[in-house]
Amino acid sequence: MDTLNVQGGYPLKGELKIQGSKNTVLPVMAAAVLYKGVTMLTNVPMIRDVYCMIHILEAIGVKIVFSDHCLTMDASLVESGEIPMEDVKRMRSSIMLLGALLGRVGEAVTSYPGGCSIGLRPIDLHLKALEQMGAEITEDGIKIRAVASRLRGTHIRLDFPSVGATENILLAAVAAEGVTVIDNAAREPEIIELCLFLQKMGVPVRGAGTGRIRIEGKRQLRQTSYRITGDRIVAGTYLAAAAATGGEVRLTGIYTPYMASVLQAFRKCGCDVTWGKEDVSLRSDRQIQAVPWLKTSPYPGFPTDMQSPFMALLAYGDGVSIIEETIFEGRLKLAAQLEKMGADIQVKETRARVTGQSRLRGTLVQAEDLRAGAALAVAAVGAEGMTRIADPGYIKRGYESIDQDLRSLGGKIWW
Ligand code: EPZ
């Protein structure tokens, strides 16, 4: 059985540069499909989801060279709008290609991305918005076909600030005639970065990071090179691991204004956290304070992707913490795996009541999604004894080298 193996009890100490952001590079790769030429991306993480997106893009005609974190894409000849079904099943975020393919070839065919273990994850907001822009959507229960002879800019108000739906609208709007205004748009850093990339490509877009984004379509696009920002969730995960071991680390290569709510949460746990613009330092004496109430919400609130690593950290807390998950209904199931290690976590609907323990003990546990898998590594580095994490492939979807990274900080962790 393929497992990630962790011998706990070694404080993490030292300095580490953080990889590029998974949730930034995926929509930027989709955006590059809109330009009939070469786009170059640097600081691209070498993770499974990027390789999956490369497979999809090559299937539709994009020529790609990817080496040493540099991705060169030639989208001069995009012939097809059909996203391979097996890739959609492997990576639901391939749905963000809908808008780009509609804009580039006037058609997009995909299968239902389906839910995953963190929740149902419907795409109704994506489809409704694209229809408002002139796409005709047909569904046969297996495939979704979107066709648009011409996309037109319009005023769209999202019922929920969905990150993926905002991305799809932005990419369709690049090719739409006229102006598109998105109200109740997602404000996440990944939206800001995508809009910075679009601006660099020649697209007039304003309001990124606010609830209202305005974008003008049908502009002449230009060859662009772009550096992918550091991954705020990977950085937060490693800070949680350092705190769980009573360590002292300095992480570089991340834009810390994107991490404000997470860094404040570490301070609430009693960690000594300081930061500059592109680096953060955390020191912990392993006396993790309970957090009375930690609620996930859309940016700039506490991010749902950090909820799992924090649940693992608060399992060591001195007291009772309440975690409320408001974004993905399936995320709290991590508790059952942590309980195998001796954690005391009561889950009821969208809340988890975590009663901290001074020590957890290593055992065999199961990764059931990307962030839950990474959270088990956080719990494991602070635990007594050996933890073996089964199904670690989930972790490889978003963490380029969690083993090497944590080993470089003194952790005892190997595949
Ligand atoms: C993106 O997912 C991220 N994925 C997620 O990261 C992240 O957790 C999420 O945004 C929230 O920040 C990528 O960027 C690839 P949403 P996305 O649309 O776009 C509901 C990770 O671990 N919804 O903002 O799917 C949905 O069910 C991943 O890196 C609808 O109801 O998130 C959920 O409850 C996990 N209808 C909520 O909105 C829709 O049409 C947030 O989803 C779309 C979404």
Side-chain angles (χ1 to χ4, degrees):
M1 170 171 53
D2 183 17
T3 57
L4 179 62
N5 309 295
V6 184
Q7 180 66 35
Y10 294 85
L12 299 183
K13 295 184 185 296
E15 183 165 316
L16 179 68
K17 179 185 172 298
I18 294 297
Q19 72 178 61
S21 162
K22 167 177 85 80
N23 293 346
T24 298
V25 70
L26 293 175
V28 167
M29 289 171 74
V33 168
L34 291 162
Y35 174 59
K36 294 178 183 173
V38 174
T39 299
M40 193 172 87
L41 305 177
T42 56
N43 198 37
V44 175
M46 301 177 87
I47 54 176
R48 285 192 177 181
D49 275 12
V50 166
Y51 288 105
C52 183
M53 182 64 100
I54 288 171
H55 185 260
I56 296 170
L57 295 178
E58 287 178 334
I60 64 173
V62 181
K63 302 285 179 278
I64 292 182
V65 175
F66 184 34
S67 74
D68 191 21
H69 303 94
C70 182
L71 185 70
T72 304
M73 302 170 58
D74 182 347
S76 305
L77 297 173
V78 172
E79 294 114 7
S80 159
E82 180 129 15
I83 304 170
M85 282 178 76
E86 68 276 9
D87 290 316
V88 178
K89 295 298 174 204
R90 277 169 57 205
M91 184 181 71
R92 70 170 310 282
S93 47
S94 53
I95 203 72
M96 71 179 66
L97 276 166
L98 277 183
L101 289 172
L102 271 177
R104 178 65 194 269
V105 298
E107 178 187 46
V109 182
T110 182
S111 57
Y112 289 90
C116 60
S117 57
I118 62 173
L120 284 175
R121 303 184 77 176
I123 58 169
D124 55 312
L125 300 178
H126 299 242
L127 301 181
K128 183 180 161 192
L130 294 175
E131 281 181 326
Q132 277 183 259
M133 297 177 79
E136 284 180 37
I137 312 255
T138 52
E139 304 175 56
D140 63 7
I142 297 172
K143 285 198 173 186
I144 304 169
R145 179 183 298 274
V147 178
S149 51
R150 55 185 277 276
L151 289 165
R152 57 181 183 277
T154 185
H155 188 166
I156 296 169
R157 177 168 183 75
L158 284 172
D159 296 338
F160 179 87
S162 155
V163 173
T166 302
E167 290 164 347
N168 254 327
I169 298 166
L170 284 168
L171 299 188
V174 171
E177 285 169 16
V179 173
T180 299
V181 174
I182 311 171
D183 270 333
N184 199 25
R187 303 165 184 244
E188 269 72 4
E190 292 73 33
I191 300 296
I192 298 172
E193 291 294 319
L194 176 60
C195 289
L196 288 171
F197 173 75
L198 292 176
Q199 283 170 339
K200 206 171 176 189
M201 226 173 27
V203 180
V205 50
R206 291 207 311 262
T210 73
R212 167 170 283 204
I213 302 177
R214 182 185 187 279
I215 176 169
E216 292 177 37
K218 284 282 185 217
R219 304 304 284 262
Q220 182 62 42
L221 304 180
R222 52 179 176 254
Q223 182 163 319
T224 306
S225 63
Y226 194 73
R227 175 180 170 71
I228 300 299
T229 190
D231 194 306
R232 62 188 175 111
I233 306 301
V234 170
T237 304
Y238 291 172
L239 291 175
T245 60
E248 183 168 0
V249 298
R250 178 172 181 265
L251 305 182
T252 61
I254 34 145
Y255 186 59
T256 56
Y258 287 161
M259 297 185 68
S261 63
V262 173
L263 301 182
Q264 291 307 329
F266 279 111
R267 283 189 166 167
K268 283 181 190 157
C269 292
C271 297
D272 175 11
V273 192
T274 54
W275 58 89
K277 190 176 172 192
E278 299 191 335
D279 70 285
V280 55
S281 296
L282 178 142
R283 188 175 57 77
S284 162
D285 56 7
R286 211 174 173 283
Q287 301 302 313
I288 305 302
Q289 291 168 23
V291 174
W293 189 34
L294 185 67
K295 178 179 177 183
T296 65
S297 58
Y299 194 87
F302 186 81
T304 174
D305 292 349
M306 275 303 302
Q307 187 261 99
S308 301
F310 252 82
M311 181 186 278
L313 179 60
L314 292 171
Y316 290 108
D318 175 20
V320 176
S321 304
I322 303 292
I323 294 176
E324 182 173 4
E325 172 58 55
T326 68
I327 307 289
F328 289 117
E329 65 275 17
R331 267 227 154 114
L332 294 174
K333 73 185 176 319
L334 165 67
Q337 298 301 320
L338 292 173
E339 288 206 300
K340 291 179 184 174
M341 299 174 73
D344 177 357
I345 306 174
Q346 311 301 319
V347 173
K348 188 166 186 287
E349 292 166 1
T350 62
R351 291 193 179 189
R353 177 186 168 84
V354 185
T355 304
Q357 312 292 309
S358 56
R359 272 283 181 212
L360 299 183
R361 60 183 180 279
T363 186
L364 175 65
V365 289
Q366 183 88 25
E368 293 176 304
D369 68 68
L370 164 56
R371 304 304 174 186
L376 290 169
V378 169
V381 292
E384 284 171 344
M386 169 82 84
T387 300
R388 296 171 64 222
I389 303 172
D391 270 347
Y394 281 109
I395 302 174
K396 292 176 181 173
R397 291 190 49 187
Y399 294 78
E400 180 176 307
S401 52
I402 192 168
D403 56 328
Q404 292 171 35
D405 286 346
L406 297 185
R407 267 204 310 273
S408 76
L409 296 173
K412 300 288 183 261
I413 173 172
W414 64 95
W415 291 110

